[in-house]
Amino acid sequence: MQEDTTSSPGTGREDKPGEQAAASGPGPEEAPAFRFMRRALEVSLLARGRSSPNPAVGAVVTDAAGNPVGEGCTQPPGQAHAEVMALRLAGEKARGGTLYVTLEPCSAYGRTPPCTKAIIEAGIGRVYYAVQDPNPRMHRGAQVLREAGIEVIEGPLTQEAAVSHEAFFHWLRTGKPFVVAKYAMTLDGKIATRSGHSRWITGPRSREAVHRLRDESDAIMVGINTVLLDDPALTTRLETGAGRPGCDPLRVIVDSKGRLPLTARVTGPGTLLATTRNMAGASRQELEAKGVEVLVLPAGGQGRVDLDALLEALGQRGILQLMVEGGGSLLASLVFNPTGPRINKVWAFIAPKLVGGSAAPGPVGGPGVERMDSALTLERVKYHSFDSDLLIEGYFHQPVNGQAALSES
């Protein structure tokens, strides 16, 4: 799918949603380091939503003459990392060549041997890595390679790689998933009509972009009211030719009282029901018999699921990116948190439609703020157009990088 994009004010850049533009450095006749690192970033996208808890890394190998001879991305946990996949494809042509990789190669044993070992054994002469691994167990990779006599260069496209690995870096730093909130609304701020009808607010290209985000996420979360009102499937449906088969994320339903219907489309394997002790035992047994996993968590305010405990539990499962699609009460609880928003990034689609109605719902519920100067403002905002729809993509204040708290597996 090709989408039109407009740049953030003052940046002069045009980016795809969810990605940092690889716009720094030379243009069409750019230097090989930029060209091949850009390709490594493209290849890394194939691992998103499939490599967690490992980062979605991409790698490209060129031979001694500078010709590309291999590329690869991180495989599912316990399988080969991106560097190893690219080196396998390159074979003996890698000897004396150059490796371009989006993240500093790992240097410690986990489920697999360190990538530095494979790089040294392949006879690579030079390594470019876009961004340093903040994991203290892994960020000696560059040093290990230099000690083996390999030329090692950090960059290019460091900023782009940091954004590409933002979910992994956040998980390392906090132990919790990187949370992306997505919603679609009309020009007058409604997510449905006064009768609750909501299909469809945006056009096909916007909806395809949403399915791409689902495909790249490890889990998708909604509140129980969204299930009761819309009965969503919460699956990934990508058009043929999307580059890879779609992958359904883990479905997380926040339901403090266990009201999930046995007939709901999400009721079955691949669904996690986050609830509290207020759930009836009989309901739990019936849902578990259908294949639903039931996770009982502490109750927070008003007897609702403690969202911090839920995010910690998802982080412990290796969930790097969590997509939240509603509803309004859940988004309000995630946004208006006394210690700061629990949401990291927002994808807000706006369709040029008006539905009116004071009873028609908006995307974020709760009591809201009293004064406009108390409103939460997004940073690093970008704008993207999908036919007549507009996507606003932005972040709540947060560091892009940080010290590691967990280890790559």
Side-chain angles (χ1 to χ4, degrees):
M1 179 191 73
Q2 297 291 323
E3 70 269 14
D4 304 319
T5 59
T6 56
S7 60
S8 306
T11 66
R13 293 186 175 183
E14 296 185 352
D15 307 333
K16 291 184 178 181
E19 302 173 26
Q20 174 71 27
S24 55
E29 300 300 324
E30 62 188 0
F34 282 84
R35 185 168 70 252
F36 292 124
M37 189 64 77
R38 194 183 315 281
R39 177 56 186 166
L41 285 167
E42 292 172 353
V43 173
S44 73
L45 300 179
L46 296 174
R48 287 190 181 177
R50 290 145 175 82
S51 63
S52 300
N54 291 337
V57 177
V60 173
V61 174
T62 61
D63 62 19
N67 302 306
V69 292
E71 61 182 31
C73 64
T74 311
Q75 300 301 295
Q79 300 182 36
H81 291 186
E83 300 94 319
V84 174
M85 294 296 293
L87 290 169
R88 285 178 182 172
L89 189 59
E92 281 300 312
K93 295 178 182 179
R95 196 161 299 278
T98 301
L99 170 70
Y100 302 87
V101 61
T102 61
L103 185 66
E104 181 182 11
C106 62
S107 59
Y109 280 86
R111 298 185 188 181
T112 60
C115 290
T116 51
K117 182 176 183 291
I119 295 168
I120 294 169
E121 292 176 349
I124 288 289
R126 180 184 298 112
V127 172
Y128 288 89
Y129 69 92
V131 67
Q132 185 184 68
D133 191 336
N135 187 334
R137 290 189 61 240
M138 300 294 172
H139 72 189
R140 290 188 64 254
Q143 178 183 339
V144 170
L145 295 175
R146 290 190 179 105
E147 291 173 351
I150 298 174
E151 181 183 3
V152 181
I153 302 166
E154 183 173 1
L157 305 182
T158 296
Q159 182 181 4
E160 290 83 350
V163 173
S164 181
H165 295 303
E166 62 189 0
F168 176 65
F169 289 168
H170 176 80
W171 178 76
L172 282 174
R173 187 176 63 251
T174 67
K176 298 177 181 179
F178 184 84
V179 181
V180 182
K182 168 267 161 186
Y183 57 84
M185 66 181 186
T186 60
L187 197 58
D188 53 347
K190 309 298 185 180
I191 61 171
T193 66
R194 57 185 174 84
S195 68
H197 189 263
S198 61
R199 295 179 181 174
W200 297 101
I201 293 174
T202 55
R205 295 178 68 210
S206 296
R207 298 199 298 273
E208 185 179 347
V210 170
H211 282 282
R212 183 195 300 167
L213 180 60
R214 287 184 181 181
D215 182 57
E216 296 178 352
S217 299
D218 301 305
I220 179 172
M221 184 166 76
V222 299
I224 184 59
N225 287 333
T226 295
V227 176
L228 296 177
L229 290 172
D230 298 336
D231 193 22
L234 302 181
T235 54
T236 297
R237 300 181 293 279
L238 292 176
E239 296 293 332
T240 303
R244 62 178 183 176
C247 181
D248 292 335
L250 173 70
R251 298 172 298 202
V252 180
I253 313 301
V254 182
D255 180 8
S256 60
K257 297 181 180 179
R259 294 184 291 155
L260 179 64
L262 295 175
T263 57
R265 291 203 288 172
V266 296
T267 299
T271 292
L272 173 69
L273 183 72
T275 189
T276 68
R277 293 180 179 177
N278 294 325
M279 179 181 185
S283 298
R284 175 174 181 173
Q285 293 174 1
E286 290 176 334
L287 289 170
E288 289 177 334
K290 288 276 191 175
V292 175
E293 180 183 357
V294 177
L295 177 64
V296 179
L297 294 165
Q302 299 179 328
R304 296 178 177 176
V305 172
D306 185 321
L307 294 177
D308 289 318
L310 174 56
L311 292 177
E312 289 174 2
L314 294 176
Q316 290 170 1
R317 291 168 177 251
I319 301 296
L320 300 191
Q321 180 164 295
L322 171 66
M323 180 181 179
V324 180
E325 290 207 32
S329 296
L330 179 60
L331 284 175
S333 297
L334 290 167
V335 171
F336 298 108
N337 180 42
T339 59
R342 300 181 177 98
I343 291 172
N344 303 100
K345 180 188 282 189
V346 173
W347 272 33
F349 288 88
I350 303 175
K353 300 177 180 179
L354 300 173
V355 299
S358 58
V364 182
V369 299
E370 292 186 4
R371 296 176 52 85
M372 191 56 66
D373 53 14
S374 298
L376 299 178
T377 304
L378 298 178
E379 302 176 349
R380 293 185 280 156
V381 175
K382 297 174 186 171
Y383 306 88
H384 315 271
S385 61
F386 294 85
D387 294 331
S388 60
D389 299 329
L390 177 67
L391 167 62
I392 299 179
E393 176 188 12
Y395 296 80
F396 287 112
H397 179 72
Q398 61 184 305
V400 174
N401 209 329
Q403 290 300 311
L406 301 172
S407 61
E408 182 183 12
S409 56

